[in-house]
Amino acid sequence: MQHVAHVTPSEPPPLQETQVSRSSASPPPHDSPLQNQPHQSAKAYSRTKLIVGIVGTVIFFAYSFAMVAFGGTRLIESGIRSVLSNDYLVFLGFASVFGLIELILTLPLRYYSGYHLEHKFHLSNQTLIVWFREGVKGMVVGLVIGTPVLLIFFYCLQTYGEHWWVPVGIAMFLFSVLFARLAPVLIFPLFYKFQPLADGSLKSKLIALCKRGGVKIVDVYVFDMSKNTKKANAAFTGIGKSKRILLGDTLVANCTDEEIETVVAHELGHHTLNHLWRMMLLGTVTTFAGLWLTAWLYEASIEWFGFSSITQPAALPLLSIWFGIYSILISPLTNGISRMHEYAADRFAVRFMQNNEVFLNALRKLSTINLADPEPPPLVEFWSYSHPPLKKRINAIAELR
């Protein structure tokens, strides 16, 4: 529901405690990764992140399958039923224990990917304590948000039987709309400090830009992305009255006013070209299709492992396995459409701003700051890139007339 501007897949937007005021061409900070990071570093970083992601996926599937196939899930369920009798509490207890074991198994990988690797490539500003604290905070917020979602899912499973996927799909759509509306004002501030961008040339330009593009925003905010990372990002986020522009303080520090303006123009293109609603429609269709297929495969496979009911908590990891496989297989389609939208938003930004070179400079800077691979292997791009690589974006802009 929200669109985040970045060159290749990266973290969502993570501002400074004081208002940000700047000239139109402030130099990058002394320790900025803009100091000519070698091409090889971007390649190595992207390759390592890809390998870590694959390993994490393999661990998830191997763990889930092994627990189901060798009786681990039955042991967890029977242990919880020995102290709890309510089906909903048993379900929540099972999900908690099953998830906790997975967390323990993957913690070394999470540490390597989220802390060690980011420091190795000089991208992180976090201490180990801050990294751990932010991770715990994320889990707590996830539990608060996820628990009602899990309860709604289990209610639908118990109430609607084999047709559970219909109300679950509807609930997921409604929840995504609600989350997009409330996240900018309730969720994001739990992780970052947001402040209005100081009055000045940049703010005036961005507000005027949005008005010219027919998009009404609440305000332009800066957030302290630098507390965690040296990466840079920006976003149009929210829907309706919560729509706003978010600028990472790292972006403000490393880019000129004109470059930031073109980045926001790119995001404006997504709104003007209705990419948000198209991706919502695509997401709704693929989610319903995935839930239907998952429900069918789940019901067909529970007997393979000796389960008798689709509501049995011990059998439910099979749902995660089937939906996980579906999500992997559908990724090339959704990512391919997303890349088409990125090309279209690039064209919009260049034509709207009438300045190819400034937009290209912004793309190059973001790619350098975020250590994005400008030319990934074709298969990797096809399967996992929601944004086109830098080299292809530059070539596409160069062909514009």
Side-chain angles (χ1 to χ4, degrees), residues 355-375:
N355 197 328
N356 295 34
E357 199 53 44
V358 171
F359 184 64
L360 290 174
N361 286 341
L363 288 180
R364 292 188 186 103
K365 280 188 179 181
L366 286 172
S367 181
T368 301
I369 293 169
N370 296 332
L371 268 191
D373 187 350
E375 198 173 4

Side-chain angles (χ1 to χ4, degrees), residues 103-272:
L103 175 63
I104 293 171
L105 286 175
T106 58
L107 188 58
L109 197 65
R110 292 170 188 260
Y111 164 80
Y112 179 82
S113 176
Y115 183 80
H116 175 78
L117 193 64
E118 298 298 302
H119 279 275
K120 178 181 178 180
F121 285 92
H122 310 290
L123 293 171
S124 178
N125 292 325
Q126 290 181 319
T127 64
L128 184 59
I129 292 175
V130 172
W131 174 79
F132 182 78
R133 185 183 66 208
E134 291 295 300
V136 171
K137 187 192 299 183
M139 284 191 292
V140 171
V141 173
L143 282 173
V144 172
I145 296 174
T147 299
V149 175
L150 286 175
L151 289 174
I152 291 171
F153 157 75
F154 194 64
Y155 169 80
C156 293
L157 194 65
Q158 290 222 339
T159 305
Y160 299 99
E162 62 182 11
H163 302 295
W164 63 268
W165 58 274
V166 178
V168 167
I170 295 172
M172 288 177 66
F173 170 76
L174 295 176
F175 181 78
S176 68
V177 174
L178 180 64
F179 185 82
R181 180 68 177 83
L182 297 180
V185 293
L186 294 181
I187 308 300
F188 296 167
L190 296 176
F191 297 92
Y192 298 98
K193 289 187 173 73
F194 291 82
Q195 306 175 60
L197 180 66
D199 292 336
S201 174
L202 177 59
K203 185 170 186 176
S204 298
K205 287 178 180 179
L206 296 182
I207 292 175
L209 179 74
C210 291
K211 286 182 179 178
R212 188 156 60 99
V215 175
K216 186 176 181 180
I217 60 170
V218 174
D219 206 343
V220 182
Y221 294 88
V222 183
F223 60 94
D224 56 340
M225 192 173 181
S226 62
K227 76 171 188 174
N228 291 330
T229 182
K230 293 180 174 69
K231 294 178 180 179
N233 216 334
F236 258 66
T237 188
I239 57 175
K241 294 182 179 180
S242 69
K243 191 178 299 178
R244 61 198 65 200
I245 297 173
L246 306 181
L247 305 176
D249 57 352
T250 49
L251 180 76
V252 174
N254 284 301
C255 294
T256 67
D257 285 1
E258 290 75 18
E259 289 164 350
I260 294 172
E261 198 176 359
T262 62
V263 170
V264 173
H266 170 93
E267 293 305 298
L268 183 63
H270 285 299
H271 284 264
T272 302

Side-chain angles (χ1 to χ4, degrees), residues 1-2 7-8 20 40 82 84 125 133 165 179 238 246 254 260 294 349:
M1 290 299 305
Q2 59 180 349
V7 177
T8 58
V20 177
Q40 290 75 14
S82 67
L84 297 172
N125 292 325
R133 185 183 66 208
W165 58 274
F179 185 82
L246 306 181
N254 284 301
I260 294 172
T294 297

Side-chain angles (χ1 to χ4, degrees), residues 28-102:
H30 180 70
D31 64 345
S32 167
L34 254 169
Q35 314 296 324
N36 285 323
Q37 284 281 5
H39 179 77
Q40 290 75 14
S41 293
K43 284 281 187 186
Y45 176 72
S46 297
R47 182 172 58 249
T48 308
K49 294 288 280 188
L50 174 65
I51 292 171
V52 169
I54 292 173
V55 171
T57 301
V58 170
I59 290 175
F60 163 74
F61 282 116
Y63 163 69
S64 299
F65 179 81
M67 290 292 284
V68 170
F70 299 107
T73 57
R74 284 188 174 86
L75 285 176
I76 295 174
E77 182 182 350
S78 63
I80 294 172
R81 286 196 183 278
S82 67
V83 294
L84 297 172
S85 57
N86 181 275
D87 285 343
Y88 287 89
L89 292 179
V90 170
F91 166 69
L92 288 179
F94 175 86
S96 300
V97 174
F98 188 84
L100 180 61
I101 295 173
E102 183 190 1

